[in-house]
Amino acid sequence: ANDCPYPVDADTDPPTPLAFFDTMLSNLTITQDELQNTDAYQLTRETIIELANEVKQADGEFVLMYIPQKAELYWDYLDNEDQQKIITGLPTNSLVDSISQDASITDNLDAQRNLLTNLAETNDFDILDLTPFLTDAISQGASPYFFADTHWNQIGHDIVHKILVDYLLQLT
């Protein structure tokens, strides 16, 4: 059995202690091609397109909001040793048959984001990607997520509130 690798400290200023859920991390090991071929993505894709079309038919403006996982934002702030300890303990992913021996979160970090961005571009609707905004906040010392949770804390909610209000105001 592997020793628990948590907490790990992100190399932010100030350092941010973190813990991740293994199942969430194992999803980040999937390549974009593998992810695109899963039943889960196909259902997600069909549902988003159907909803976007219904909103357009009702003369509405459909906007897909991309909310990055905590690990998508903090992974590059971890040192290689911590990354390897975490990857070594990951379970097999439920979306694909197995995690390859060379599974790399680093290489596949943007797979989900890229798929949804491409979906928006291909189907002519907007995407509000929170990644650059949250990345910027983290680089300035904010900690928008709870320590051992995937949800935003009050700081995260405040950051996203401002982003969403600014985005909606520019639409009017």
Side-chain angles (χ1 to χ4, degrees):
N2 293 318
D3 293 334
C4 178
Y6 301 112
V8 293
D9 284 323
D11 187 19
T12 54
D13 186 19
T16 307
L18 300 168
F20 304 108
F21 289 119
D22 288 348
T23 54
M24 303 294 277
L25 282 175
S26 67
N27 288 340
L28 297 177
T29 65
I30 303 172
T31 68
Q32 189 168 325
D33 288 340
E34 289 172 325
L35 185 59
Q36 189 168 357
N37 291 319
T38 64
D39 290 340
Y41 175 73
Q42 292 304 318
L43 180 60
T44 300
R45 179 185 175 282
E46 291 167 15
T47 303
I48 290 171
I49 290 170
E50 182 179 325
L51 182 58
N53 288 336
E54 288 179 17
V55 170
K56 287 178 184 176
Q57 288 175 356
D59 292 325
E61 178 85 22
F62 181 80
V63 179
L64 179 65
M65 181 185 292
Y66 183 75
I67 303 171
Q69 295 182 43
K70 178 170 71 173
E72 289 176 76
L73 302 175
Y74 282 104
W75 188 254
D76 289 336
Y77 285 101
L78 302 179
D79 65 37
N80 288 338
E81 183 180 330
D82 284 337
Q83 289 179 354
Q84 286 308 306
K85 282 193 302 189
I86 292 167
I87 290 173
T88 301
L90 289 180
T92 300
N93 188 283
S94 61
L95 294 177
V96 293
D97 293 333
S98 65
I99 294 177
S100 65
Q101 292 299 322
D102 61 345
S104 173
I105 290 174
T106 302
D107 291 343
N108 300 308
L109 202 56
D110 294 326
Q112 295 174 42
R113 179 180 175 207
N114 291 341
L115 274 179
L116 293 175
T117 299
N118 292 343
L119 179 66
E121 290 171 359
T122 303
N123 291 279
D124 196 33
F125 57 80
D126 288 340
I127 184 165
L128 174 56
D129 181 0
L130 299 180
T131 306
F133 301 102
L134 291 167
T135 299
D136 186 53
I138 290 168
S139 74
Q140 294 179 34
S143 296
Y145 291 86
F146 288 109
F147 158 72
D149 195 345
T150 59
H151 295 93
W152 296 319
N153 55 26
Q154 189 61 53
I155 294 167
H157 280 277
D158 291 346
I159 292 166
V160 174
H161 170 260
K162 181 180 180 342
I163 294 163
L164 187 55
V165 167
D166 289 349
Y167 184 84
L168 292 173
L169 287 173
Q170 77 159 359
L171 291 178
T172 57

